[in-house]
Amino acid sequence: MAGRLKATKKMKSIMKWYYIEAKYARYLGKKIAWITSGGPVEPLIAMNIIPIYPENHGAMIGASKKGGKMSEFAEGLGYSSDVCSYAKNDITSSITKESPIKGGLPKPDMLICSNNICGTVLKWYEIQARKFGVPLFIYDTPFVHTEFTEEAREYVNEQTKDYIRFLEKHTGKKFDYKKMKKVGKLSLEAMRLWKNVLETAEHKPSPMTAFDAFFHLALIVTLRGKKVVVKYYKQLLKELEVRNRNNVGAVDNEKYRLLWDNLPIWFRMRWLSEKFASHGAALVADTYTQAWCGVIDYVDENDFLSTMGEAYTRIHLNVGVDQMADTIKKFIKQYDVDGLVMHSNRSCKPYSFGQYDIQNLLQDEDIPVLMIEADMTDERKFSDSQAEARIDAFMEVIKQRKKEK
Amino acid sequence: MITLGIDIGSLTAKAVLYDGKQVMEKHLIPVGYNSKKAGVKLMEELLQKAGVDQTDIGKIVSTGYGRNSIDFAHKAVTEIICHGKGIHHQMPHIRTIIDIGGQDSKVIVLDKRGNVANFIMNDKCAAGTGRFLDVMARAMETEIHEFGLLSLQSENPSKISSVCTVFAESEIISLVAKGENREDITSGIHLSIARRIASMVKRLGMIPPVAMSGGVALNVGLVDALQKILDTKIETTPFSQYSGALGAALLAQEL
C-alpha cells in the first residue's frame, strides 16, 4: 500500500497560509483580485496583488459536500438550476458567508475575468462587480476553432496592455516590468514541473492517480509565478520519482489504466477512487489537470508578457473538439490506457458539450468509453447506484477485452 | 453442474436454473421494497417448482440492480455482461442488443464472439425507461400488456414532444382533453420513447442484426415503433425477460 503522499501535508499548510494572508491583506498593505481559473494571474503576482479564485473555493465547497445546498439557495434567488454550480456557490457564499474558510472569501478590490474557460464567468463576474462595487477587467479570448490567427494575436496582446493599464490605475503604482520577467520565468518553471509531476504516471504502476492530481493542482492554479510553487512541485516530483524507482503504485496491484475527462466530482472523490481501485484500476491521467501545462510551448520564457495572450487563448476549453480529441488521443498513447471515463458535468457546458463528438472522433482508437452523469459540486445531480452500475459494467468489459488480448 | 442465475431488477426479480445443457426452470416475482428478501423467496419458489434441492446447485451468479444484496451468490456481475451472454446464447448471430429496464435502458454491442464490445446507458432520467411506459399506461388507464396492442391500431400517431416523464404525462392529459383518441396517443407515446432509444443506438453505432432483451421486448407496440425509427428488423424471444438471469446462470457455469 503506497499510502498518502508526504507532500500533501506541506500543500495543506501552503494553502492555509495563502488564505490567512489574503484574509489580512489590508494589514499587509496588499490588494485582492478575484480571478477566473484560466485568467492571466502572473501580472497580479508581479504587482504584489493577492489572487483569489472563487472556483478553487467552489471546489472546496464541493469537497465539503455543501454544493447542493448552496446551489439551492442561489436557485431561490432566481438563478436557473442549469447555471454552473461554482457560480451559484460563489454567489451564495458571498451573501451567506457560508464557506469551508471561516468568514468566506476575502472581499475583492478588483475582479479579473477571462472567458477562455466559459461564457458564464462574464455574467458571474459582472454580478459580483456590481455587488462589491469594484472594477472588473475582462480578458476576452477568441475561440480557436481550428487555428490561432494573427488578428487574434493582435487582439489579445492589445488586451494585455489594457490589463496592465487597469492594474496601474487601480493600484496607483507603475507596473514592475523587471519583476514581471522573474514571475514569468517562475510561472513557466512551475508549469514544466507540473508537467513532470503528471508524467511520472507514465510509469507502471503509476505512482499517483488523477485523484492525487486533482488535489495537488491547487498550487499551479492559484499561485503560479511564486517561488513556493516551484519548490513544492520539486518536492512532490522527488517523492513520486522515488515511488517509481521502487515500483510503488498508488493503487495496489494496478491492472488497468484509465483516463479521466472533465472536472472532478468533488463530493465523491473518495468513493470513486475506492470504487476504481477495487477493480484494480488506476486513473493515471486526466485532461483537466493537464490543462495547466498544455500550453507551455506557446510561452516565451524571456518574453512572457507578449506571449501569454496566445497561451491563454489556446487552453483546452477554448479550442474546437477536433483539437480536444487530439489531446485525448495523445494521452491514450502516452499513458497507455485501457479505457476513457468521461464525466458529463451538468455545470461545465464547454467541457461536456462536445463529449459525444469526441467519442465519435476516438472510434479508431478502439477504446471503451464510460460516461458518468454528474456535477462537479452539486450532489443532487448524482446517483450512486446508477454510477456504480455503469462503472462495474465498464470494468467488466475492460477485463474481458484485456483477457482476450 | 446445475447453476442458478438471479436477476434482481428495480421492478421484477427473475431466476433461471441451468443444468449445463439447457434451462431447467425459470421464475419471476415482483421485487417489492426488499431485494434481499425477494432473492430468497425467488430461489425457494424456483427450487420448489423445479423439484431441485438447494444443495444440488453448484454455483450462483447474481445480476441487476440488487445484485450485491444477494449474499448467497458466488459472484455478482452487472446486467450488461449478463444480457450480452444470455442473448448470445439464444441468438448467436445478434450484434446489437437493446434492453429497456425498469429504471434504465441500455444498448450493448457484441463482438463476433459474443463478448460485449461497448455499451451505453441512458442519462440520469426516467424518460426512455420501462418506468416511463408504466406511468403512461396508467395515465391512459390501460393494462401494460394491452398497451402495445393499442398503439398498433393507430393510424395517425399523436405528437408527444416532451422527453420528461412528468411533463409528458401532463401533455397526454391535455391531448385527452383535446379529444385525440387513445390509440393515437398511445402510439405517440411509443414513438416518443423509441426516438429516445434510437438516438442512443445511433450514438453507439448500430451493428445489425438487432435484438431486444428484457421485459419491455414483450411490448409489440414498442418493438414496432423501434423498427420503424431504426429502419431495421428487431428480433425478440419469448424468453427475453429472462435473458439477464440466463446469462448469469451461464456465467456461473464458468466459475
Side-chain angles (χ1 to χ4, degrees), chain A residues 326-341:
Chain A
D326 285 344
T327 304
I328 290 177
K329 281 180 196 167
K330 189 185 97 188
F331 292 149
I332 289 171
K333 289 197 180 67
Q334 184 182 357
Y335 292 92
D336 194 17
V337 299
D338 305 299
L340 169 65
V341 183

PDB file of all heavy atoms in Angstrom, chain A residues 326-341:
ATOM      1  N   ASP A 326      -7.741  15.291 -30.245  1.00  0.00           N
ATOM      2  CA  ASP A 326      -6.311  15.010 -30.484  1.00  0.00           C
ATOM      3  C   ASP A 326      -5.547  14.913 -29.167  1.00  0.00           C
ATOM      4  O   ASP A 326      -4.671  14.062 -29.009  1.00  0.00           O
ATOM      5  CB  ASP A 326      -5.688  16.101 -31.362  1.00  0.00           C
ATOM      6  CG  ASP A 326      -6.124  15.958 -32.818  1.00  0.00           C
ATOM      7  OD1 ASP A 326      -6.629  14.867 -33.180  1.00  0.00           O
ATOM      8  OD2 ASP A 326      -5.974  16.933 -33.583  1.00  0.00           O
ATOM      9  N   THR A 327      -5.878  15.826 -28.246  1.00  0.00           N
ATOM     10  CA  THR A 327      -5.221  15.795 -26.933  1.00  0.00           C
ATOM     11  C   THR A 327      -5.512  14.470 -26.235  1.00  0.00           C
ATOM     12  O   THR A 327      -4.615  13.832 -25.671  1.00  0.00           O
ATOM     13  CB  THR A 327      -5.742  16.962 -26.060  1.00  0.00           C
ATOM     14  OG1 THR A 327      -5.519  18.178 -26.760  1.00  0.00           O
ATOM     15  CG2 THR A 327      -5.044  17.017 -24.723  1.00  0.00           C
ATOM     16  N   ILE A 328      -6.772  14.049 -26.299  1.00  0.00           N
ATOM     17  CA  ILE A 328      -7.142  12.786 -25.647  1.00  0.00           C
ATOM     18  C   ILE A 328      -6.416  11.611 -26.310  1.00  0.00           C
ATOM     19  O   ILE A 328      -5.884  10.728 -25.631  1.00  0.00           O
ATOM     20  CB  ILE A 328      -8.673  12.602 -25.668  1.00  0.00           C
ATOM     21  CG1 ILE A 328      -9.306  13.620 -24.710  1.00  0.00           C
ATOM     22  CG2 ILE A 328      -9.068  11.188 -25.274  1.00  0.00           C
ATOM     23  CD1 ILE A 328     -10.807  13.621 -24.670  1.00  0.00           C
ATOM     24  N   LYS A 329      -6.345  11.646 -27.643  1.00  0.00           N
ATOM     25  CA  LYS A 329      -5.632  10.577 -28.361  1.00  0.00           C
ATOM     26  C   LYS A 329      -4.182  10.493 -27.909  1.00  0.00           C
ATOM     27  O   LYS A 329      -3.621   9.423 -27.730  1.00  0.00           O
ATOM     28  CB  LYS A 329      -5.672  10.835 -29.869  1.00  0.00           C
ATOM     29  CG  LYS A 329      -6.982  10.449 -30.517  1.00  0.00           C
ATOM     30  CD  LYS A 329      -6.921  10.742 -32.017  1.00  0.00           C
ATOM     31  CE  LYS A 329      -8.311  10.742 -32.602  1.00  0.00           C
ATOM     32  NZ  LYS A 329      -8.351  11.312 -33.959  1.00  0.00           N
ATOM     33  N   LYS A 330      -3.586  11.684 -27.758  1.00  0.00           N
ATOM     34  CA  LYS A 330      -2.191  11.742 -27.320  1.00  0.00           C
ATOM     35  C   LYS A 330      -2.037  11.089 -25.939  1.00  0.00           C
ATOM     36  O   LYS A 330      -1.136  10.268 -25.728  1.00  0.00           O
ATOM     37  CB  LYS A 330      -1.735  13.211 -27.277  1.00  0.00           C
ATOM     38  CG  LYS A 330      -0.247  13.398 -27.054  1.00  0.00           C
ATOM     39  CD  LYS A 330       0.113  14.866 -26.907  1.00  0.00           C
ATOM     40  CE  LYS A 330       0.200  15.230 -25.454  1.00  0.00           C
ATOM     41  NZ  LYS A 330       0.369  16.669 -25.184  1.00  0.00           N
ATOM     42  N   PHE A 331      -2.939  11.414 -25.025  1.00  0.00           N
ATOM     43  CA  PHE A 331      -2.844  10.850 -23.670  1.00  0.00           C
ATOM     44  C   PHE A 331      -3.091   9.342 -23.663  1.00  0.00           C
ATOM     45  O   PHE A 331      -2.503   8.608 -22.863  1.00  0.00           O
ATOM     46  CB  PHE A 331      -3.834  11.540 -22.719  1.00  0.00           C
ATOM     47  CG  PHE A 331      -3.506  12.982 -22.427  1.00  0.00           C
ATOM     48  CD1 PHE A 331      -4.500  13.908 -22.164  1.00  0.00           C
ATOM     49  CD2 PHE A 331      -2.180  13.409 -22.416  1.00  0.00           C
ATOM     50  CE1 PHE A 331      -4.196  15.237 -21.894  1.00  0.00           C
ATOM     51  CE2 PHE A 331      -1.861  14.737 -22.155  1.00  0.00           C
ATOM     52  CZ  PHE A 331      -2.873  15.655 -21.903  1.00  0.00           C
ATOM     53  N   ILE A 332      -3.986   8.885 -24.536  1.00  0.00           N
ATOM     54  CA  ILE A 332      -4.280   7.442 -24.595  1.00  0.00           C
ATOM     55  C   ILE A 332      -2.982   6.672 -24.865  1.00  0.00           C
ATOM     56  O   ILE A 332      -2.702   5.655 -24.231  1.00  0.00           O
ATOM     57  CB  ILE A 332      -5.341   7.135 -25.686  1.00  0.00           C
ATOM     58  CG1 ILE A 332      -6.715   7.648 -25.232  1.00  0.00           C
ATOM     59  CG2 ILE A 332      -5.402   5.640 -25.980  1.00  0.00           C
ATOM     60  CD1 ILE A 332      -7.790   7.592 -26.307  1.00  0.00           C
ATOM     61  N   LYS A 333      -2.182   7.212 -25.791  1.00  0.00           N
ATOM     62  CA  LYS A 333      -0.915   6.548 -26.125  1.00  0.00           C
ATOM     63  C   LYS A 333       0.135   6.785 -25.048  1.00  0.00           C
ATOM     64  O   LYS A 333       0.790   5.857 -24.581  1.00  0.00           O
ATOM     65  CB  LYS A 333      -0.408   7.060 -27.467  1.00  0.00           C
ATOM     66  CG  LYS A 333      -1.261   6.543 -28.577  1.00  0.00           C
ATOM     67  CD  LYS A 333      -0.612   6.655 -29.943  1.00  0.00           C
ATOM     68  CE  LYS A 333      -1.579   6.102 -30.976  1.00  0.00           C
ATOM     69  NZ  LYS A 333      -2.808   6.928 -31.120  1.00  0.00           N
ATOM     70  N   GLN A 334       0.282   8.069 -24.669  1.00  0.00           N
ATOM     71  CA  GLN A 334       1.340   8.434 -23.723  1.00  0.00           C
ATOM     72  C   GLN A 334       1.217   7.661 -22.409  1.00  0.00           C
ATOM     73  O   GLN A 334       2.220   7.223 -21.857  1.00  0.00           O
ATOM     74  CB  GLN A 334       1.258   9.943 -23.452  1.00  0.00           C
ATOM     75  CG  GLN A 334       2.374  10.452 -22.556  1.00  0.00           C
ATOM     76  CD  GLN A 334       2.220  11.951 -22.288  1.00  0.00           C
ATOM     77  OE1 GLN A 334       1.321  12.611 -22.813  1.00  0.00           O
ATOM     78  NE2 GLN A 334       3.119  12.486 -21.480  1.00  0.00           N
ATOM     79  N   TYR A 335      -0.003   7.503 -21.927  1.00  0.00           N
ATOM     80  CA  TYR A 335      -0.193   6.845 -20.625  1.00  0.00           C
ATOM     81  C   TYR A 335      -0.632   5.391 -20.767  1.00  0.00           C
ATOM     82  O   TYR A 335      -0.915   4.726 -19.788  1.00  0.00           O
ATOM     83  CB  TYR A 335      -1.179   7.649 -19.771  1.00  0.00           C
ATOM     84  CG  TYR A 335      -0.605   8.984 -19.343  1.00  0.00           C
ATOM     85  CD1 TYR A 335      -0.805  10.136 -20.100  1.00  0.00           C
ATOM     86  CD2 TYR A 335       0.188   9.082 -18.197  1.00  0.00           C
ATOM     87  CE1 TYR A 335      -0.239  11.343 -19.731  1.00  0.00           C
ATOM     88  CE2 TYR A 335       0.744  10.284 -17.808  1.00  0.00           C
ATOM     89  CZ  TYR A 335       0.530  11.419 -18.581  1.00  0.00           C
ATOM     90  OH  TYR A 335       1.098  12.609 -18.211  1.00  0.00           O
ATOM     91  N   ASP A 336      -0.698   4.917 -21.998  1.00  0.00           N
ATOM     92  CA  ASP A 336      -1.057   3.531 -22.293  1.00  0.00           C
ATOM     93  C   ASP A 336      -2.313   3.090 -21.523  1.00  0.00           C
ATOM     94  O   ASP A 336      -2.255   2.187 -20.689  1.00  0.00           O
ATOM     95  CB  ASP A 336       0.132   2.609 -21.967  1.00  0.00           C
ATOM     96  CG  ASP A 336      -0.073   1.220 -22.580  1.00  0.00           C
ATOM     97  OD1 ASP A 336      -0.930   1.100 -23.475  1.00  0.00           O
ATOM     98  OD2 ASP A 336       0.592   0.270 -22.134  1.00  0.00           O
ATOM     99  N   VAL A 337      -3.431   3.756 -21.805  1.00  0.00           N
ATOM    100  CA  VAL A 337      -4.642   3.491 -21.027  1.00  0.00           C
ATOM    101  C   VAL A 337      -5.555   2.459 -21.699  1.00  0.00           C
ATOM    102  O   VAL A 337      -5.520   2.263 -22.919  1.00  0.00           O
ATOM    103  CB  VAL A 337      -5.453   4.784 -20.746  1.00  0.00           C
ATOM    104  CG1 VAL A 337      -4.620   5.760 -19.947  1.00  0.00           C
ATOM    105  CG2 VAL A 337      -5.971   5.408 -22.022  1.00  0.00           C
ATOM    106  N   ASP A 338      -6.357   1.806 -20.864  1.00  0.00           N
ATOM    107  CA  ASP A 338      -7.270   0.760 -21.333  1.00  0.00           C
ATOM    108  C   ASP A 338      -8.692   1.280 -21.537  1.00  0.00           C
ATOM    109  O   ASP A 338      -9.525   0.584 -22.101  1.00  0.00           O
ATOM    110  CB  ASP A 338      -7.327  -0.377 -20.308  1.00  0.00           C
ATOM    111  CG  ASP A 338      -5.954  -0.925 -19.991  1.00  0.00           C
ATOM    112  OD1 ASP A 338      -5.309  -1.419 -20.926  1.00  0.00           O
ATOM    113  OD2 ASP A 338      -5.514  -0.836 -18.833  1.00  0.00           O
ATOM    114  N   GLY A 339      -8.975   2.468 -21.013  1.00  0.00           N
ATOM    115  CA  GLY A 339     -10.331   2.980 -21.143  1.00  0.00           C
ATOM    116  C   GLY A 339     -10.390   4.460 -20.808  1.00  0.00           C
ATOM    117  O   GLY A 339      -9.477   4.998 -20.181  1.00  0.00           O
ATOM    118  N   LEU A 340     -11.481   5.092 -21.261  1.00  0.00           N
ATOM    119  CA  LEU A 340     -11.665   6.525 -21.020  1.00  0.00           C
ATOM    120  C   LEU A 340     -12.943   6.726 -20.200  1.00  0.00           C
ATOM    121  O   LEU A 340     -13.989   6.166 -20.522  1.00  0.00           O
ATOM    122  CB  LEU A 340     -11.776   7.244 -22.370  1.00  0.00           C
ATOM    123  CG  LEU A 340     -12.235   8.705 -22.374  1.00  0.00           C
ATOM    124  CD1 LEU A 340     -11.235   9.606 -21.671  1.00  0.00           C
ATOM    125  CD2 LEU A 340     -12.441   9.193 -23.816  1.00  0.00           C
ATOM    126  N   VAL A 341     -12.838   7.494 -19.114  1.00  0.00           N
ATOM    127  CA  VAL A 341     -14.005   7.804 -18.300  1.00  0.00           C
ATOM    128  C   VAL A 341     -14.332   9.276 -18.508  1.00  0.00           C
ATOM    129  O   VAL A 341     -13.513  10.148 -18.218  1.00  0.00           O
ATOM    130  CB  VAL A 341     -13.729   7.561 -16.798  1.00  0.00           C
ATOM    131  CG1 VAL A 341     -14.998   7.829 -15.972  1.00  0.00           C
ATOM    132  CG2 VAL A 341     -13.237   6.146 -16.562  1.00  0.00           C
TER     133      VAL A 341
END
